[in-house]
Structures are given as structure tokens and as C-alpha cells.
Amino acid sequence: MLKSVTNSVFNCFKSLTIEQSRSIRLRKPPWVPRAKNKRFRVPTLKQQDKDEYDYMMPIWNKYKAEMRSIYLLFKTVAKFSDKESVKAQEEKKKLLEKENSLLQENDRLNAEILKIQLEEENVKLESRKKQAELDLKRQKKVEELYVLKADKIVSKLIEKSKNFVDPNNLEYEIEKALNERYDHNFSIDSSGRFFKAKKLVTKAQAFDPKFFPIESNDLNQSILAESSSKEKNPELKDTNL
């Protein structure tokens, strides 16, 4: 495009002469034709001054030489710029290929990192799941123990409730309690034997208020044997006391 423009400019300069000029009609628009009295008139050409011509021609030649040098400069610059543009395009293509390869490598590394992270998350989830199962089993065992303990407490209360006083049978229970015998008195001799109602008894029998001794030689003999063994072994005596 630059070459065509400069060629057209030079062609105009070659065809142009100093004498060629045209007056501009300021009073009429350019599309209005000439007047009838001036239609066939041939204007006389003005003769250029010889001194003026001698003064202008060196300037004109200098101008044409400068324009030619500028044209050649533009031509060489455009030529080298075309080569540089091809080289720049190749470099740009290489940079794009390098960038695409780096992006692909980045995507591959990101995929590997994501895979590793997902595996770690799966391992953590499995460990949490196992821990939750163990906690659930432990909680179930604790609940079962609480249930067993509560059942024992309830069974004990039910057993105790059998001895509760019924308000409907209150008079009967009062009479029964008055008729029952209780004896909290017992004695101990220097050897640690227990006596209740002047009868030799065991420690449990002595502390039982509902127990009343019955005369039995076999029982007394067994108690005496036990007390004699305790006297021989003081450790047994301390444990029973």
C-alpha cells in the first residue's frame, strides 16, 4: 500500500509543471457551466519569469530527490519489517506452543494433586466412619449397662415393696409388728465369743435382732470349736470382727 501511494505521488509530480494552474471561481459553484460569451474564449498562457524559473527548479529537484530517498527508506523498512514480522510470528507461535504445553503440564499436576487429596479425604472418612462405629458400639454397651443397673434397682425396689405397709391392712401390720419379737442385746467375752440370752451364738446371729437362740449342744460345740481356732489364729479373729 505504501508503494502504491508513493508511486501515485511521484506520477503526479512528474506530470505537474509550474505553468499549470487553474483559477477558482468564487462567484459560481463548480457545477455551473461557463457563460455563453466565454464559452469559446481561449485564455492566453502567462509566461513565467526566467529568474523565477531559475530559482524554483533547483528547489524542485532537491524536493524530488528527498522524496525519492524517503520512498527508498520506506521501501527498505517495509521489507525488513516484513521479515521481522515473519520472525515475530514464529516467535509468537513458539511462545503460544510453550504456553499451551505449560498449561497442559499444570492441568496434569492439578489432576494428580486432586487425586491425592481425594484419596486422603477417603482415608479420613473411613477412619471417621470406623471411629463413629466404635463410639456407637461403646455407647450401646454403656446404655445396656445402665439398663441392667436400672433393672437391678427396680427388682430390688420390687422386692422391698413386698414388705411395704398397705394402707388397707394398716391395723393388721401394726398388730403383727407388736407381736413380733426383737432382741438387740448380746454380749462378748474376753476371748471374743458372742452370747445371746446366755447362749453361745455366732457374730451374724448376735447382730440379727430376729434371731432367738435355741438350746442345741451340736451348735454350741461347733461355735466353741470355731472360737478356739480363732484364739489360736488371731488373723481369723481380726477378719471376723
Side-chain angles (χ1 to χ4, degrees):
M1 182 177 179
L2 180 62
K3 185 176 180 181
S4 62
V5 171
T6 53
N7 286 333
S8 62
V9 171
F10 280 123
N11 290 329
C12 293
F13 285 149
K14 288 178 182 177
S15 61
L16 184 64
T17 59
I18 303 300
E19 293 86 4
Q20 289 178 348
S21 62
R22 182 178 179 183
S23 61
I24 299 172
R25 299 180 300 175
L26 298 175
R27 294 180 292 105
K28 288 183 180 181
W31 61 84
V32 177
R34 280 187 174 188
K36 291 181 180 181
N37 58 351
K38 294 181 181 179
R39 184 176 297 175
F40 300 103
R41 190 183 69 172
V42 178
T44 58
L45 293 176
K46 293 181 181 181
Q47 294 295 326
Q48 189 176 5
D49 189 9
K50 184 72 170 59
D51 295 333
E52 184 180 358
Y53 179 80
D54 293 338
Y55 178 75
M56 290 292 294
M57 282 309 294
I59 296 173
W60 175 247
N61 293 331
K62 183 180 178 182
Y63 172 73
K64 287 194 292 182
E66 289 177 355
M67 291 299 295
R68 196 180 297 113
S69 64
I70 291 170
Y71 167 69
L72 291 173
L73 178 63
F74 284 168
K75 188 176 180 180
T76 54
V77 169
K79 185 177 180 181
F80 285 109
S81 65
D82 292 337
K83 291 182 180 179
E84 290 178 357
S85 63
V86 172
K87 188 177 180 181
Q89 288 177 0
E90 291 178 355
E91 290 179 355
K92 186 176 180 181
K93 187 177 179 181
K94 290 180 180 178
L95 288 173
L96 287 173
E97 290 177 354
K98 186 177 180 181
E99 184 179 358
N100 291 328
S101 63
L102 290 173
L103 289 173
Q104 291 176 0
E105 183 69 18
N106 188 22
D107 293 337
R108 186 181 65 79
L109 292 174
N110 288 334
E112 291 179 357
I113 292 169
L114 180 62
K115 185 178 179 181
I116 294 169
Q117 288 178 352
L118 290 174
E119 290 177 355
E120 290 178 355
E121 288 294 329
N122 290 328
V123 171
K124 289 180 181 179
L125 287 173
E126 289 294 330
S127 62
R128 289 177 183 175
K129 186 177 179 181
K130 291 180 181 179
Q131 187 65 31
E133 290 178 354
L134 292 174
D135 293 339
L136 183 61
K137 289 180 180 179
R138 193 180 297 108
Q139 186 66 26
K140 285 183 178 179
K141 288 181 180 179
V142 172
E143 289 178 356
E144 290 176 357
L145 291 174
Y146 278 125
V147 170
L148 291 173
K149 188 175 180 180
D151 291 338
K152 289 180 180 179
I153 293 171
V154 170
S155 62
K156 288 181 181 179
L157 291 174
I158 290 170
E159 289 294 329
K160 288 182 179 180
S161 66
K162 293 179 180 179
N163 298 323
F164 290 169
V165 177
D166 190 2
N168 298 324
N169 298 326
L170 185 59
E171 294 180 358
Y172 172 75
E173 293 293 336
I174 292 170
E175 186 177 356
K176 183 179 177 182
L178 292 173
N179 293 328
E180 286 183 353
R181 294 176 61 191
Y182 291 95
D183 188 5
H184 296 278
N185 299 320
F186 63 89
S187 58
I188 304 173
D189 61 358
S190 60
S191 60
R193 293 179 296 179
F194 293 87
F195 292 90
K196 197 169 188 179
K198 297 182 180 181
K199 301 293 182 181
L200 185 63
V201 295
T202 61
K203 182 179 180 181
Q205 293 173 351
F207 281 94
D208 188 5
K210 293 184 179 181
F211 176 74
F212 293 96
I214 301 172
E215 293 182 358
S216 177
N217 294 326
D218 296 333
L219 181 62
N220 291 331
Q221 290 176 0
S222 63
I223 293 170
L224 288 171
E226 184 179 357
S227 61
S228 62
S229 64
K230 287 180 182 179
E231 289 177 356
K232 293 178 182 180
N233 296 323
E235 293 179 357
L236 296 175
K237 182 178 179 181
D238 294 337
T239 53
N240 290 327
L241 289 172

